[in-house]
Amino acid sequence: MSKAWCEAHNTQRAATLKDEESYATRNANGTGPFMLKDRQPMVRTVLVKNPNWWHLKDQPIDIDEVVFSRVENPATRVAALLSGDLDMIYNVPPQDIEHVEKNPAVKVWRIPELRTMFLGMDQSRDELLESNVKGKNPFKDKRVRRAFYQRSTRTRSCRRSCVALPTRRR
């Protein structure tokens, strides 16, 4: 977005989208293939084909309308996909992939994901907020942080916090 456009519409700061919206949330500053038709935060967003898209002649779009529906519960989301109520979902819960792949009407795309995980240790407070250690903060001690880091190898941490799905190189 251009600085002038943001200043003209008082949208210099990004909206959190959890509890606020701004002019930029509902008004595009661009010329993409779709335009916003309707937005109900945390419920659904409807996009329609942009007849003025500059690339439409070279790359025609066979979709007139796209509806993004928020389905928070993973089991409900998968059930809606398998019943045909939804055309696609992101993402399929790992425990449901095998079941979803058995449906001939559905294709599961497995793609590599670049993920950065950050483990932050509260070093600023004198006492940890949610801990059974009372009256002090062990993470203020560099030796404790170093020991924690050395004990928590990346592989072990990822094994417990990431879902490793087998993929095949193509």
Side-chain angles (χ1 to χ4, degrees), residues 82-121:
L82 296 176
S83 71
D85 290 340
L86 295 175
D87 295 321
M88 66 175 276
I89 64 172
Y90 177 85
N91 55 18
V92 178
Q95 67 273 14
D96 294 329
I97 290 176
E98 189 176 326
H99 175 66
V100 171
E101 284 180 324
K102 289 179 182 176
N103 185 323
V106 176
K107 177 172 175 51
V108 175
W109 287 353
R110 295 179 190 225
I111 58 171
E113 181 179 18
L114 179 61
R115 178 182 291 190
T116 301
M117 297 183 76
F118 175 77
L119 177 62
M121 300 177 205

Side-chain angles (χ1 to χ4, degrees), residues 51-62:
N52 301 315
W53 182 43
W54 63 276
H55 216 31
L56 194 57
K57 291 178 185 170
D58 301 337
Q59 296 180 9
I61 301 171
D62 293 334

Side-chain angles (χ1 to χ4, degrees), residues 6-40:
C6 289
E7 289 174 347
H9 299 290
N10 194 28
T11 58
Q12 298 93 323
R13 188 178 62 81
T16 65
L17 298 184
K18 285 189 175 193
D19 57 0
E20 67 177 328
E21 289 195 359
S22 70
Y23 184 84
T25 306
R26 294 181 180 266
N27 296 274
N29 176 16
T31 58
F34 292 96
M35 304 181 307
L36 183 65
K37 177 182 176 184
D38 181 46
R39 175 161 160 70
Q40 299 168 32

